[in-house]
Amino acid sequence: MSRIGRKVISVPSGVKVRIEDGVFTAEGPKGKVSQTLAAGIGVEANDNELQVTRQDDERKSRALHGLMRALVANAVQGVSQGFSRNLDIVGVGFRAEVKGRELHMALGYSHPVVYPLPKGIDVAVEKNT
């Protein structure tokens, strides 16, 4: 049995999950996400936990078991915490700063690298050392 597929998914408070007609839906403070479940894969909800199961031990079902568990877990995390990426800029003279809706970075080039920020994306520079 899949090691990833066997892991239990904990559902944080404030997140509602529904499983109906082969579609998993998670709704929370950050939004709503739906995921169609593969044939032969099911999700069981017990209290504040989710368990992904499969009907049989055929090769395709085993391959999809861990994938479906990861997609369901990512959906639950996305509606509760959102997505974030931390970037460490390491180097002598390397630095970054946010000016309005642009990220200005000094990365060792002869010119600064200016990256316009898309709508819905927030950037914060914690410290320049």
Side-chain angles (χ1 to χ4, degrees):
M1 188 170 220
S2 170
R3 285 182 281 176
I4 300 296
R6 282 186 297 186
K7 288 185 178 180
V8 176
I9 303 165
S10 62
V11 180
S13 60
V15 175
K16 298 177 199 167
V17 295
R18 275 195 328 257
I19 303 121
E20 52 189 33
D21 298 331
V23 177
F24 171 82
T25 305
E27 191 170 354
K30 299 279 185 179
K32 180 179 179 179
V33 176
S34 295
Q35 176 64 47
T36 303
L37 299 173
I41 305 293
V43 177
E44 298 173 359
N46 300 323
D47 297 328
N48 290 333
E49 294 182 339
L50 298 173
Q51 181 71 45
V52 179
T53 59
R54 64 178 187 237
Q55 289 180 354
D56 51 34
D57 279 339
E58 290 192 23
R59 184 180 178 106
K60 187 172 182 179
S61 296
R62 290 193 320 253
L64 292 172
H65 189 200
L67 171 69
M68 285 293 116
R69 189 260 177 213
L71 292 174
V72 168
N74 289 343
V76 170
Q77 179 186 1
V79 298
S80 63
Q81 301 169 359
F83 177 79
S84 66
R85 175 70 64 194
N86 294 327
L87 176 66
D88 291 332
I89 300 174
V90 180
V92 176
F94 288 14
R95 61 182 188 278
E97 61 183 337
V98 178
K99 292 182 181 177
R101 294 294 301 161
E102 293 180 334
L103 177 63
H104 291 256
M105 298 177 285
L107 301 173
Y109 295 110
S110 61
H111 59 281
V113 177
V114 179
Y115 184 77
L117 299 174
K119 292 181 181 177
I121 303 294
D122 296 324
V123 174
V125 177
E126 295 177 6
K127 58 184 174 182
N128 274 326
T129 56

